[in-house]
């Protein structure tokens, strides 16, 4: 009977004591080796059309997509880009500052929301950068922050950990935070937010806002 390979990959190798059958020996070797190699496809859609039935993708399978020029690994039921691809969005317009002492989401037109697919590590860095100010009083504050929401139920919101803030002055800076505990393959949306303690659009300003997401290997 066929013997397993010496590297523990579960590939059946024909033995001299087996019944002669070149086609069976070739098929066994091909079925063992091909799924463990680097599979090449014209595009993601071509791959999805080809890998069905008995040839469905399995955990750890690796593919190269020619059209997308991207390497992907099959993990937890999803194809994940490798290495993970950073994404970023840029602030288009300022907030209305028509609420105080509450954290409010930017509209999607004012600041688009970056999305990413969680890598196998379940982690990602999120950085918010901006020039912010609130001159209503010497103690008035302003925050440029974000929250996270996922398609599989993941949520994260903590103003003190995600927010860049200023009090009575103008601050230009960045703040980086690591999200953890996400499910690999889940799609996460980062929602930019603002918060002011007092004042209005005549006193508060956020300019040049950037949200950068770096999925962690």
């Amino acid at each position: 009977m066929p013997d397993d390979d010496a590297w523990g990959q579960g590939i059946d190798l024909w033995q001299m004591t087996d019944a002669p059958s070149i086609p069976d020996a070739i098929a066994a070797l091909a079925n063992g080796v091909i799924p463990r190699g680097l599979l090449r496809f014209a595009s993601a859609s071509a791959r999805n059309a080809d890998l069905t039935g008995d040839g469905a993708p399995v955990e750890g399978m690796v593919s190269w997509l020619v059209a997308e020029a991207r390497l992907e690994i099959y993990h937890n039921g999803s194809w994940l880009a490798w290495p993970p691809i950073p994404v970023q969005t840029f602030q288009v317009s300022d907030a209305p500052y028509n609420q105080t002492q509450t954290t409010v989401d930017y509209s999607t037109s004012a600041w688009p929301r970056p999305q990413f697919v969680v890598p196998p590590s379940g982690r990602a860095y999120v950085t918010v950068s901006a020039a912010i100010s609130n001159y209503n009083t010497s103690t008035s504050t302003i925050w440029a922050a974000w929250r996270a929401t996922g398609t599989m139920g993941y949520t994260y919101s903590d103003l003190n950990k995600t927010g860049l803030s200023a009090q009575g002055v103008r601050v230009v800076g960045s703040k980086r935070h690591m999200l953890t505990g996400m499910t690999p393959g889940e799609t996460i949306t980062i929602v930019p937010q603002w918060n002011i303690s007092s004042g209005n659009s005549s006193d508060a300003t956020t300019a040049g806002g950037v949200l950068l997401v770096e999925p962690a290997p």
Side-chain angles (χ1 to χ4, degrees):
M1 61 181 296
D3 191 17
D4 288 343
D5 67 279
W7 296 273
Q9 295 302 296
I11 300 174
D12 291 336
L13 301 177
W14 184 80
Q15 303 296 300
M16 291 296 292
T17 55
D18 293 336
S21 177
I22 293 177
D24 288 347
I26 292 175
L29 183 61
N31 291 336
V33 171
I34 291 175
R36 292 167 172 79
L38 175 60
L39 308 182
R40 295 170 178 83
F41 298 94
S43 64
S45 59
R47 177 191 63 198
N48 296 339
D50 288 340
L51 298 184
T52 59
D54 292 340
V58 296
E59 186 75 9
M61 186 174 279
V62 181
S63 68
W64 172 258
L65 306 177
V66 176
E68 292 85 352
R70 186 169 69 235
L71 191 70
E72 294 190 350
I73 298 175
Y74 193 75
H75 177 68
N76 200 29
S78 299
W79 285 102
L80 307 178
W82 193 262
I85 301 172
V87 294
Q88 66 179 350
T89 62
F90 302 91
Q91 179 191 2
V92 176
S93 58
D94 209 351
Y97 303 116
N98 53 3
Q99 300 182 60
T100 60
Q101 300 185 31
T102 186
T103 304
V104 184
D105 295 344
Y106 272 86
S107 68
T108 55
S109 59
W111 196 334
R113 302 170 179 183
Q115 289 187 324
F116 68 99
V117 177
V118 179
S121 67
R123 303 188 302 267
Y125 293 99
V126 182
T127 302
V128 59
S129 305
I132 55 178
S133 61
N134 187 350
Y135 293 108
N136 180 245
T137 71
S138 60
T139 58
S140 294
T141 60
I142 182 172
W143 295 77
W146 52 270
R147 63 181 178 88
T149 180
T151 55
M152 298 180 186
Y154 182 87
T155 60
Y156 185 85
S157 179
D158 189 326
L159 186 65
N160 289 318
K161 292 182 179 179
T162 69
L164 178 68
S165 109
Q167 179 176 334
V169 294
R170 183 172 186 264
V171 169
V172 180
S174 298
K175 190 170 187 178
R176 192 180 193 221
H177 181 73
M178 175 182 273
L179 288 175
T180 60
M182 298 177 289
T183 301
E186 182 173 10
T187 298
I188 304 293
T189 301
I190 302 299
V191 182
Q193 299 180 299
W194 59 270
N195 181 305
I196 59 172
S197 61
S198 62
N200 51 45
S201 58
S202 298
D203 312 304
T205 301
T206 298
V210 179
L211 274 172
L212 171 64
V213 182
E214 301 168 283

